[in-house]
């Protein structure tokens, strides 16, 4: 069989799921040599099994808006793979959420979680609920309605959701409260919890910090660092916020942010109070980045993406397929040396091809943004121990995990002196899960 034939079968079985097929094709292409040279994997049909979720839960979420009108949303939880630990992965609330997006994210999570060195399987969930313009009371009622079904499917040893787009500390609080009321149990069924009720220090910052720790390791391979580097960031959410803080700590300067409305350019750098302003922008539920331009008097470019600016490092931190081949060509032309994904699958396959052809440092999200789920794993450990580690201890563990992920990418991805981080991350992530599946028989 060839990759093409394998993909034809997967496509026939999963029609109308472009994001899922995009994620599968990337992994299958990377691991195909390894798969073919290990007859035990082929006999056990590891790849055929790994692309099929173990379980998918689809449910109705009815709730009342502030006018007392009945609203209905879709609820999802894709429990993709539990070979190396309980299902683990975030919840996304965004109007674009559908089964293809849930399956792509759940699939990516399998390999990401495997890379973290911690015992976590892969899953993802969410809803097509739009947080934009909703009142706090509406968000609470929606979260309660969502958990009133999800609670029967999750548990500290079964499936442990967390946040993603549209789900931050506030939503995790409402979801946790409802679970506790329904089950009469105080257990670690979610991560990203508040610090006073089981949350881990550094979890809010973890994804962004991890992205920059990872980019630092990438730069080290060509004897460079963040000092004096100009950095372009997209998005203005949780991941962008954490990444900006760490770039500033390491002496770099972040000059852009973006939203669905366009991007802003701040030549003086996004630092100090300006970083805190990101939290205000997200909490406003308005979803526009233009507010930043008005607050600080900097240029705003409507309907444009930040990849046209001159920068040394690009950190796409918004959403899938937000950086295409034209953006990639612009970045290469303007001298960008390192592209590290904060979001999940933000670069299109054609964009990745351009980065790799030009021998740029490029890392996929499943390696570079694994810091978030890693600290989620550390939150689970602390919950099990009923202990709380210090900020320094969690940060040090996070930093070491990101270095370990980088080492795995270098080990499995180096071809003729160039580190192909896509290949490295996919092979390293796959091997651990594939061997566990083999050990556990055909289940
Ligand atoms: P937030 O909700 O905090 O922020 C999301 C950002 O992305 C916002 O700026 C949002 O603007 C933008 N965005 C979302 N969807 C779209 C869209 N369809 N088109 C344009 N812009 C969009 O989410 P996070 O920062 O948590 O997540 C950002 C990315 O990082 C996602 O890809 C997520 O999967 C990934 N990630 C998150 C982790 C975490 O721990 N939070 C961990 C690892 C990865 P708007 O909503 O207005 O569209
Ligand atoms: O994409 C991701 O890794 C996340 N949204 C975080 C998942 C988690 O369980 O912390």
């Amino acid at each position: 069989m060839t990759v093409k034939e394998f993909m034809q079968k997967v496509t026939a079985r999963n029609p109308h799921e472009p994001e899922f097929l995009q994620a599968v094709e990337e992994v299958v292409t990377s691991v195909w040599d390894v798969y073919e040279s290990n007859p035990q994997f082929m006999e056990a049909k590891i790849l055929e099994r790994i692309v099929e979720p173990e379980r998918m839960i689809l449910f109705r979420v009815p709730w009342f808006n502030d006018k007392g009108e009945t609203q209905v949303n879709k609820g999802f939880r894709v429990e993709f793979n539990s070979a190396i630990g309980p299902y683990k992965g975030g919840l996304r609330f965004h109007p674009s959420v559908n089964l293809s997006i849930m399956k792509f994210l759940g699939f990516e999570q399998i390999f990401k979680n495997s890379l973290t060195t911690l015992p976590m399987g892969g899953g993802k969930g969410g809803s097509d609920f739009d947080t934009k313009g909703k009142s706090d009371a509406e968000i609470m009622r929606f979260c309660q309605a969502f958990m009133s079904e999800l609670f029967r499917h999750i548990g500290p040893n079964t499936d442990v959701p967390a946040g993603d787009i549209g789900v931050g500390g506030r939503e995790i609080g409402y979801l946790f409260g409802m679970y506790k009321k329904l089950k009469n149990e105080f257990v670690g069924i979610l991560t990203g919890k508040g610090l006073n009720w089981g949350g881990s220090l550094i979890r809010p910052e973890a994804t962004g910090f991890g992205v920059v720790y990872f980019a630092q390791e990438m730069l080290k391979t060509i004897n460079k660092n963040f000092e004096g580097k100009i950095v372009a960031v997209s998005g203005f959410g949780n991941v962008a916020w954490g990444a900006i803080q760490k770039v500033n700590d390491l002496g770099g300067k972040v000059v852009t942010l973006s939203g669905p409305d366009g991007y802003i350019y701040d030549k003086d750098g996004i630092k100090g109070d300006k970083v805190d302003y990101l939290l205000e922008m997200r909490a406003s539920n308005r979803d526009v980045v233009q507010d930043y331009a008005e607050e600080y008097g900097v240029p705003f470019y409507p309907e444009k993406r930040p990849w046209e600016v001159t920068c040394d490092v690009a950190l796409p931190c918004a959403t899938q397929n937000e950086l295409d081949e034209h953006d990639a060509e612009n970045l290469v032309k303007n001298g960008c040396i390192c592209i590290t994904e904060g979001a999940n699958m933000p670069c299109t396959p054609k964009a990745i091809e351009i980065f790799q052809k030009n021998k740029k440092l490029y890392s996929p999200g499943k390696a570079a943004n694994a810091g978030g789920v890693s600290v989620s794993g550390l939150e689970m450990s602390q919950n099990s121990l009923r202990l709380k580690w210090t900020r320094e201890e969690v940060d040090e563990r996070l930093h070491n995990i990101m270095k370990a992920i980088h080492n795995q990418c270098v080990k499995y991805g180096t071809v003729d002196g160039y580190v192909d981080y896509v290949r490295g991350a996919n092979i390293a992530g796959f091997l651990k899960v594939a061997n566990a599946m083999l050990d556990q028989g055909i289940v």
Side-chain angles (χ1 to χ4, degrees), residues 62-71 137-138 141-142 145:
W63 57 282
F64 288 116
N65 69 10
D66 286 344
K67 293 184 195 145
E69 296 160 343
T70 304
Q71 308 289 305
E138 287 176 324
R141 284 198 297 275
F142 175 79

Side-chain angles (χ1 to χ4, degrees), residues 88-90 105 109 112-113 124 160-164 191 203 207 344 369 372-373 376:
K88 181 83 195 90
L105 290 163
Q109 202 81 41
K112 181 193 305 194
N113 293 3
K124 199 84 186 190
V160 185
D164 192 79
T191 58
R203 178 62 188 89
T207 311
N344 286 308
N369 73 29
V373 74
S376 278

Side-chain angles (χ1 to χ4, degrees), residues 38-57:
N38 281 281
Q40 73 277 25
F41 289 163
M42 294 194 71
E43 275 157 31
K45 295 257 189 309
I46 297 287
L47 269 187
E48 284 81 348
R49 282 158 62 204
I50 220 168
V51 299
E52 206 55 62
E54 289 176 15
R55 188 178 301 108
M56 291 193 281
I57 301 142

Side-chain angles (χ1 to χ4, degrees), residues 221 356 360-362 406 409-410 413-415 417-422:
T221 65
Q356 295 193 327
K360 297 292 173 190
L361 296 171
Y362 161 76
H406 187 268
C409 292
V410 171
T414 308
V415 184
Y418 173 70
V419 186
D420 178 342
Y421 286 87
V422 177

